Structure formats: C-alpha cells, structure tokens
Amino acid sequence: MIRLLLSGVFMLLQLSYAFSQGKFSIQRVEPLHWWVGMKSSDLQLIIYGKGIGKSTVKIKKQGLTLVKTNPVENSDYLFLDLSVDSDATAGFYPIEFYENNKLVGSYKYELKNRETSSVKAQGVHSDDLIYLIMPDRFANGNTKNDQIKGLREIQVNRDSMYARHGGDIDGVIQHLDYLADLGVTSVWLTPVLTNDMPQASYHGYANTENYHIDPRLGTNETYRKLGEELHKRNMKLVHDVVPNHVGLYHWTVIDKPFKDWLHEWPSFTQTTYKDQTIFDPYASVADRERMEKDGL
C-alpha cells in the first residue's frame, strides 16, 4: 500500500477526445492530462480502444515527443513513452494514429500549467494530530448523492455493517470546525475514488476508477473544496491511494493488457493478510507463500 501525503488538492483530470470516421475509437487514456514544468520529463500513457495496438503513432507538435511505442499482448492497448520538452507550453497536443500509412484518428492530449498559488505538499510531522475518517461512516452532508443510478451498489442501510451509510465529503467539510477545535491538524480520508463494486463498497479500497471521486461521496470539485477549506484553517489533507490493487470491475481487470497484469493464481484460497511474514526472516515458507501467493 502506498499513501501519498498531499497538503494540496489532488489534481483530477479531464478527457478531450477527437474521433475520426470508421471504426477508430479511444475509450481510455491515462493519465488523463499532465503538466509542463515537471521535474521529470518522462511520461507514459496507457491508451485503450478497439484494435488501437495495431496503429502507428505520431506526434507532430513541438513540445511533446514520442520516445517509444510499446505494443502489448492485448491489441486494444498501447503504452506510449513520451517526453515533455523543457520549453513545452500548456495546450493540446494531437496524438495521431495511422493504419497502413492512413490517418484513422487523433486524440488531443492536454498539458496544463502547474498551479503556483496552491499550497504544496507539506508532509506530516511528530507534532501533527491526524484524524482518520471513513467518509461513508462519518457524516451525511448531502442526501442527494446517497443513491446513484447505474452503480452496482445503491443500497443505503445504516443498520448493516456492510451496506453504505450515506456519509460523504460534504459531511466532512461541515465538521471541519469541530475537528479543528479538537486540535486536529491533518485529516486523512480512506480512499475516495469511485468504488463501483456490488457489495461492501463503502471503504474505498477496491477502486474501479483512478481519476474520479466516487459520486456517492461527492465530485472532484467537492474534493478540491475540502482541500481549500482545510487550508483556510491551516490544516492538511492526507490523500490515501492504493495503486497496487484495484477492484474486480476496474477496466484493466475486465480486459487485461497482459496475461500477468494481475497478481493472481488459478485457484482462490484466500490470503492470510499476515504481512509480517514478508518481513520476518524467521517466517516459514508456508506462511510467507500463504500471505503472498494464495490469491488476493
């Protein structure tokens, strides 16, 4: 598990598509946008669309350079290694796709200017008091988002341990003064990205989206507002994200780019979750393998 400690608001991204005629289509591009002026110039895009892996890619606009095209086992994927030039300016950079030397489609990829006025990552220290919140279990600040049509779990039942209870980011915002009065300096939310799982989706640790707040918790703008309201009170936001695992309905799980994309085995026998065995030099091989290799 990796937890990124962010004092500012996690920049969430927007898509911009340009489709051509015929069968060409792009369903996903991640990350959805990037920034100029980053310390590292390296950038890798995952592009997903029917038969996209059979295309030849070109980027003609100066500022964004195609370093390498990486076809993978699944022809619906392309992994592009890019370099953002040091003098690149913010704007849209057309990525063109060719088949048999014929242009079949393009995608406008956006590079943005970095925000200079926002509070940068401060980290947490020994004098910080961190308050951990599971938003669905904290406070219901907006009853209109309790049930969202189209998601796999819409039940709200506060009498059930596994159902959703209706708490959201608005509820957290409405109680920030209370938290400040307690002496809290940093608010840590369990993951708030979309977790479109059929049951027990309240905890957020099986996200099915990487760039969008779960609509039952709020919107990307609601999350931005939370960061701003915390900073007004000289408080910090701890952003919890677990990039090394996702839910069963994540798009890269439904249609994997590689056969070995996931850490999985032919039969499911359930991990022990005893991660101490990974670090203990005296742990038995059986215990270590049960934790690491018996199916997650």
Side-chain angles (χ1 to χ4, degrees):
M1 181 181 295
I2 300 174
R3 292 192 168 90
L4 304 180
L5 305 181
L6 304 179
S7 63
V9 176
F10 183 62
M11 293 300 295
L12 295 154
L13 311 174
Q14 299 177 338
L15 282 172
S16 174
Y17 286 113
F19 295 113
S20 73
Q21 72 285 356
K23 299 181 180 179
F24 178 83
S25 67
I26 293 178
Q27 298 178 37
R28 295 270 183 171
V29 174
E30 293 188 2
L32 308 182
H33 77 236
W34 203 246
W35 298 268
V36 297
M38 299 288 280
K39 181 179 292 186
S40 173
S41 62
D42 296 337
L43 171 62
Q44 186 177 77
L45 299 187
I46 302 178
I47 301 181
Y48 178 69
K50 189 64 177 178
I52 199 74
K54 301 175 183 177
S55 302
T56 300
V57 179
K58 295 181 181 179
I59 301 176
K60 297 178 180 178
K61 183 177 177 179
Q62 285 190 324
L64 186 63
T65 302
L66 176 63
V67 177
K68 185 181 180 183
T69 300
N70 302 285
V72 296
E73 293 174 8
N74 187 337
S75 62
D76 292 340
Y77 282 87
L78 268 182
F79 287 64
L80 301 182
D81 293 341
L82 307 177
S83 177
V84 181
D85 298 348
S86 59
D87 58 351
T89 57
F92 290 95
Y93 290 76
I95 302 175
E96 297 180 345
F97 298 85
Y98 292 81
E99 292 182 9
N100 298 320
N101 295 319
K102 179 182 178 181
L103 179 66
V104 293
S106 66
Y107 178 89
K108 293 182 179 179
Y109 192 75
E110 186 177 11
L111 296 179
K112 294 189 175 186
N113 284 316
R114 299 178 67 184
E115 293 188 8
T116 57
S117 59
S118 61
V119 179
K120 303 302 179 184
Q122 305 170 74
V124 292
H125 311 283
S126 59
D127 55 351
D128 277 309
L129 174 58
I130 303 174
Y131 195 96
L132 175 62
I133 294 175
M134 184 176 288
D136 178 73
R137 297 296 199 257
F138 185 67
N140 192 344
N142 181 7
T143 58
K144 293 181 180 179
N145 62 22
D146 287 358
Q147 295 179 306
I148 302 295
K149 291 183 179 180
L151 295 184
R152 292 179 174 87
E153 182 176 28
I154 60 173
Q155 180 187 19
V156 176
N157 181 3
R158 296 187 63 181
D159 293 330
S160 169
M161 181 172 68
Y162 292 105
R164 300 189 76 93
H165 289 190
D168 48 38
I169 296 172
D170 278 322
V172 177
I173 293 173
Q174 293 166 14
H175 290 80
L176 290 183
D177 289 336
Y178 161 73
L179 296 176
D181 288 343
L182 291 179
V184 173
T185 65
S186 303
V187 173
W188 169 8
L189 304 184
T190 56
V192 293
L193 296 174
T194 298
N195 191 335
D196 189 13
M197 297 291 285
Q199 61 183 5
S201 63
Y202 64 90
H203 53 72
Y205 284 102
N207 69 288
T208 54
E209 275 288 346
N210 293 334
Y211 296 100
H212 298 282
I213 299 299
D214 193 298
R216 292 161 294 194
L217 300 179
T219 65
N220 292 2
E221 286 305 314
T222 312
Y223 192 58
R224 177 187 288 271
K225 180 181 178 183
L226 171 63
E228 293 171 347
E229 292 296 326
L230 283 165
H231 296 154
K232 288 179 183 177
R233 296 165 174 80
N234 294 316
M235 299 167 73
K236 304 171 185 177
L237 175 62
V238 179
H239 180 73
D240 191 343
V241 60
V242 193
N244 71 329
H245 70 81
V246 292
L248 292 175
Y249 292 94
H250 190 277
W251 62 280
T252 63
V253 175
I254 295 173
D255 189 14
K256 294 178 287 189
F258 305 91
K259 292 177 182 177
D260 60 354
W261 178 254
L262 302 174
H263 205 49
E264 60 182 347
W265 292 265
S267 61
F268 178 81
T269 55
Q270 183 63 278
T271 177
T272 62
Y273 295 103
K274 295 179 179 178
D275 55 5
Q276 301 92 336
T277 60
I278 304 300
F279 307 101
D280 184 356
Y282 302 105
S284 71
V285 173
D287 286 342
R288 185 177 292 113
E289 290 190 350
R290 180 71 190 278
M291 161 58 201
E292 183 182 8
K293 297 183 179 181
D294 280 357
L296 298 176

